[in-house]
């Protein structure tokens, strides 16, 4: 898989009133990969000041009824991050703030149109229906990519 994380970010002048840049993780159903990315990014935000300038959200265009239970279980058991306990649920594009940074999880044939170009496509394989090892590989890859968000999309230091 090619590393697709190095794209020039496009900025929009629509950051929330708190001044944070909205990073949206987008996947068609918003039930697995995008939810994992949101949870991991917010987990880092709680302990790493490099993430303080961001607001992390996830959404989809054809959302599922709930977060994938295997994703919930494996992320909780492997990282101690409980997506359901944190209040995460599938959301549509219209339910999140307009993103300053839009990241596609890699939706197979075609990514959903969200009204603007994506800043990156992480081209992640969907572990749904796979083994716990498939979920763990996906979680590790997402974690690795989330760690680059501050350097790729953060505001330049003064």
């Amino acid at each position: 898989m090619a590393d697709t994380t190095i794209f020039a970010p496009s900025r929009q002048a629509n950051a929330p009133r708190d001044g944070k840049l909205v990073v949206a993780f987008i996947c068609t159903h918003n039930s697995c990969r995008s939810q994992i990315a949101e949870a991991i990014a917010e987990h880092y935000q709680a302990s790493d000041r490099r993430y303080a300038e961001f607001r992390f959200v996830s959404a989809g265009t054809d959302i599922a009824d709930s977060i994938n239970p295997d994703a919930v279980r494996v992320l909780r058991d492997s990282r101690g991050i409980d997506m359901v306990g944190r209040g995460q649920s599938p959301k549509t594009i219209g339910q999140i703030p307009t993103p300053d940074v839009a990241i596609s999880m890699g939706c197979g044939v075609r990514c959903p149109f969200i009204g603007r170009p994506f800043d990156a496509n992480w081209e992640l394989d969907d572990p749904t229906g796979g083994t716990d090892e498939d979920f763990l590989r996906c979680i590790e890859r997402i974690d690795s990519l989330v760690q680059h968000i501050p350097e790729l999309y953060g505001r330049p230091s003064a």
Side-chain angles (χ1 to χ4, degrees):
M1 175 184 341
D3 185 357
T4 58
T5 60
I6 310 299
F7 289 173
S10 62
R11 303 274 191 240
Q12 293 182 4
N14 63 339
R17 280 182 237 162
D18 64 5
K20 293 187 178 190
L21 297 171
V22 176
V23 176
F25 302 106
I26 308 296
C27 200
T28 302
H29 298 113
N30 189 223
S31 65
C32 188
R33 295 166 289 174
S34 53
Q35 293 283 350
I36 292 169
E38 178 183 354
I40 289 174
E42 287 186 348
H43 180 76
Y44 279 121
Q45 192 171 43
S47 62
D48 186 335
R49 65 182 181 85
R50 296 177 310 132
Y51 293 83
E53 71 179 292
F54 300 102
R55 178 173 179 202
F56 298 103
V57 296
S58 66
T61 55
D62 183 23
I63 63 170
D65 292 331
S66 61
I67 300 175
N68 180 310
D70 291 323
V72 171
R73 178 181 51 78
V74 175
L75 186 62
R76 183 189 61 233
D77 293 351
S78 67
R79 301 291 182 96
I81 302 170
D82 183 358
M83 293 185 280
V84 173
R86 296 176 66 256
Q88 285 181 231
S89 63
K91 300 166 288 301
T92 64
I93 303 300
Q95 293 175 297
I96 64 169
T98 303
D100 296 292
V101 177
I103 299 172
S104 168
M105 300 292 98
C107 302
V109 179
R110 191 170 77 89
C111 288
F113 180 69
I114 63 164
R116 59 158 294 191
F118 284 98
D119 295 285
N121 180 346
W122 285 357
E123 298 180 4
L124 299 164
D125 291 331
D126 186 355
T128 300
T131 66
D132 285 3
E133 289 75 26
D134 294 329
F135 280 91
L136 287 169
R137 275 192 296 277
C138 184
I139 289 166
E140 288 298 322
R141 181 72 177 137
I142 290 170
D143 185 283
S144 173
L145 293 165
V146 164
Q147 289 182 39
H148 293 285
I149 288 174
E151 69 195 57
L152 292 173
Y153 303 110
R155 293 181 180 106
S157 299

